[in-house]
Amino acid sequence: MVEDSLDSVPGDAATARRPPSTFARDTTVTDTSVYERFDREWPDCWADAAALLEWDEPYDEVLDADDAPFYRWFVGGRLNAAENCIDRHLEAGRKNQVAIRWEGKRGERRTYTYYDLHREVTAVAAALRELGVEADDVVTLYLPTVPELPITMLACARIGALHNVVFAGFAPDALLGRMEQDDSSVLVTCDGYFHEGTAVGQKRKADAALAALESTIPTVVVDRLGADHDTQLGADQYAYSALADRFEGATVPPVSRAATDPLFHIHTSGTTGEPQRMTHATGGYLAGTTWTTRAVFDLSPGDTYWCTADMGWITGHSYVVYGPLARGATVVLTEGSLRYPDRHRPWEVIERNAVNVFYTTPGVVRTFMKWGESFPAAHDRSSLRLLGTVGEPIGPDTWEWFYTHVGEERCPIVDTWWQTETGSILLSTLPGVSEMKPGAVGPPLPGIEARAVDENGRELPPGEPGSLTITKPWPSMITPLESDRYWVLAEYWQQFSDRRADTWQYATGDRAVVDDDGYITIIGRDDDVVTIGNRRLGTAELEAAITAVDGVTEAAAVAGSADGDTDLYVFATAEQDLTGREALRESISDAIVDRIGRFASPAAVVFTPELPETHTGKTMYRVLEGIVDDAPLEDSEPLRNPEIVGELTTLWGRN
Ligand code: PRX
């Protein structure tokens, strides 16, 4: 959460920075008139995004709003996403350009040119067909960061099947629920993977889920552990490599899909809700991700790009696979922890691969900060041109550190706001064009309109925090299946919309404030609220008070009723080791009493080495609430650091 002192106001004009003049950029997005033109020509302006793709059939209409809020984009058009990410680059003379550079956990490296990618994707597409997969069927992928994951995603797209990627760290129950919700035809998994040197079973988890599934489905198993680890294949289970060999050289023409046909499903649970199935449509999603990959990440063919996100989450779909490959870039994929084998790894990846654009989360940057600037300083970072963050607000101090010690003050930083549901970035500065205000995300991108509104959906004046809504549709918005429309309408569209006036506002679930220049600062989730003594408090507000205390690095505030009453509990990480903890506890209590009021004074402050976090760097409040209320979560949570749960339970017990 916000770890910087309140003295530095997020998005303060006083700290605003012009983009470095040395920044090399795509000339199409250097002109600020793009904002005005997109406004004037909306929605036809989005033809610019569609023009970055290759179409089998041109579309008749950019936007069809007849069934609003279930908008349909590029209606009448037909295309194939895999063809756009691979085949057309071969035709454009990029056959031998590297598409994927993979670095495994044990130092292994694999390189795929666009030609190699084409061969393997086609072979896997043929294999999936052989296993009975047809257009519109769903294939569940349960794989860690191995090249076979994007390859299988693209193989699905090639034959018009939908992929449903389930994060490899999920437990069998979570996998089962997601496979059932999607009526999966095939499962693709692996034997296991290495965690800091030890082999972890993946197929075992997959087999447990498969055993509980009502029907038997074919399973494809990637060999990740190598010859030392024997894997037994059961009935209807196939080795990925045997299938890929068998169909090597196959011809599988890409299946032409309507722009409005679904491309994939993905489940999202956020920090509080239940996992729900999201669907993205082929044309709008690909147009949105490709356009933003160009406009925000300034990626052109041949650029090398590294994003630390796992492909199990939307960031990995939009900005590891589809956007960068549609742009013809070289994508670096890294398996495993950034600290293994040591803290030099991230900087070695950048140096070795000459990474131009680096996209990560503020949480990762804070970790780099804790390790210290000597690590990046020991490596050549001259290839870096642009830095980006996503997932949570980046506090001004973290921003400055990233700007100075990683980007050497010559790389703009794009703080990008978006969601699983939005498919692509909606709020961000345009690098090379816009002033950057550390702490504020930036204005809506061209063609996007966002507001902070009150509970009746009325726009609030600058400076007044409210609920963040998006007030115009955008190409990569979720396009729910017929059967999901009911809850999508209720969850996202009905909260702030005035149906008599026929205006639709999409509710993001975030709180935000807009400044006089139209820059938006994200305060936190609307649902990150604790009620103490009948007062509603934003966790962000509490946490800002706590992290302003010298020596505290991160904090999470949760409400719990460990002792009957609802009280506030604080979990914090500290700079120093155990000495001085008692004094720090007191300072935290004092800070809360000072800044918020005595009623909010915490019942306990627990120090922990790390907070439980999602892969996009968000604090997982439900885990902490479960610990306080002595009702630990039973399902496996989508945590970046699941090992912290046991440790927290022990620390809580000692408290
Ligand atoms: O609360 C916002 C936060 O992450 C949420 C979306 O999470 P998810 O669907 O998992 O997608 C994450 C990757 C796009 C948002 O509702 N969020 C995302 N980006 C930012 C952010 N909060 C502040 N600043 C951001 N740049």
Side-chain angles (χ1 to χ4, degrees), residues 315 390-393 415-420 510 522 525 618:
T315 312
V390 62
E392 61 171 323
D415 176 359
T416 63
W417 179 95
W418 59 293
Q419 308 177 300
T420 306
D510 279 6
I522 306 293
R525 292 289 300 184
K618 285 174 291 178

Side-chain angles (χ1 to χ4, degrees), residues 294-625:
R294 181 186 199 175
V296 180
F297 295 129
D298 191 47
L299 274 197
S300 294
D303 280 341
T304 299
Y305 164 87
W306 181 33
C307 167
T308 57
D310 190 285
M311 279 171 283
W313 315 106
I314 193 70
T315 312
H317 286 59
S318 302
Y319 299 114
V320 174
V321 182
Y322 287 107
L325 293 179
R327 288 296 294 147
T330 297
V331 175
V332 176
L333 281 185
T334 49
E335 184 196 36
S337 148
L338 293 174
R339 74 187 82 208
Y340 186 81
D342 60 36
R343 294 169 175 187
H344 286 284
R345 186 178 186 209
W347 317 110
E348 279 167 1
V349 168
I350 288 172
E351 179 170 10
R352 184 164 47 238
N353 296 289
V355 170
N356 305 122
V357 179
F358 177 45
Y359 191 34
T360 189
T361 65
V364 167
V365 181
R366 286 198 299 273
T367 302
F368 292 160
M369 265 173 95
K370 269 189 219 160
W371 295 349
E373 62 208 55
S374 63
F375 292 95
H379 300 272
D380 178 10
R381 283 157 292 128
S382 59
S383 61
L384 285 176
R385 206 154 56 72
L386 176 63
L387 305 172
T389 62
V390 62
E392 61 171 323
I394 175 163
D397 295 351
T398 312
W399 193 99
E400 286 297 338
W401 191 91
F402 201 28
Y403 189 70
T404 311
H405 298 295
V406 178
E408 301 174 316
E409 299 188 3
R410 45 175 189 79
C411 306
I413 297 179
V414 282
D415 176 359
T416 63
W417 179 95
W418 59 293
Q419 308 177 300
T420 306
E421 297 87 334
T422 71
S424 66
I425 299 165
L426 297 190
L427 313 178
S428 167
T429 50
L430 291 178
V433 171
S434 330
E435 209 168 56
M436 300 170 283
K437 298 188 186 183
V441 176
L445 286 175
I448 306 297
E449 203 176 80
R451 287 183 188 157
V453 301
D454 68 13
E455 60 278 12
N456 299 313
R458 277 191 295 259
E459 186 168 12
L460 292 163
E464 270 191 45
S467 302
L468 178 69
T469 64
I470 311 295
T471 49
K472 271 182 183 170
W474 64 98
S476 61
M477 61 204 306
I478 39 164
T479 308
L481 300 183
E482 202 67 39
S483 52
D484 290 333
R485 282 187 171 197
Y486 180 76
W487 68 262
V488 167
L489 192 65
E491 185 139 342
Y492 300 106
W493 294 103
Q494 288 180 327
Q495 219 174 329
F496 301 112
S497 303
D498 181 351
R499 267 168 297 156
R500 273 166 311 172
D502 206 19
T503 57
W504 290 100
Q505 296 200 64
Y506 165 85
T508 65
D510 279 6
R511 285 187 75 68
V513 58
V514 186
D515 75 9
D516 287 329
D517 300 325
Y519 276 55
I520 296 171
T521 297
I522 306 293
I523 301 169
R525 292 289 300 184
D526 241 352
D527 42 17
D528 283 351
V529 163
V530 291
T531 306
I532 307 290
N534 282 335
R535 297 275 300 266
R536 285 175 71 88
L537 293 171
T539 48
E541 194 183 355
L542 284 159
E543 288 154 9
I546 301 164
T547 52
V549 173
D550 253 7
V552 178
T553 43
E554 272 189 290
V558 297
S561 38
D563 299 315
D565 292 336
T566 302
D567 276 311
L568 181 72
Y569 294 88
V570 171
F571 292 85
T573 62
E575 265 164 24
Q576 267 105 38
D577 49 24
L578 290 168
T579 51
R581 284 285 157 91
E582 221 25 73
L584 203 52
R585 257 194 197 105
E586 260 177 50
S587 308
I588 290 174
S589 284
D590 290 347
I592 294 174
V593 171
D594 278 349
R595 289 188 185 233
I596 292 149
R598 189 155 297 281
F599 72 92
S601 124
V605 175
V606 178
F607 290 105
T608 165
E610 272 185 326
L611 293 173
E613 270 187 6
T614 67
H615 281 260
T616 47
K618 285 174 291 178
T619 303
M620 199 69 174
Y621 288 97
R622 280 194 298 152
V623 170
L624 298 173
E625 285 159 5

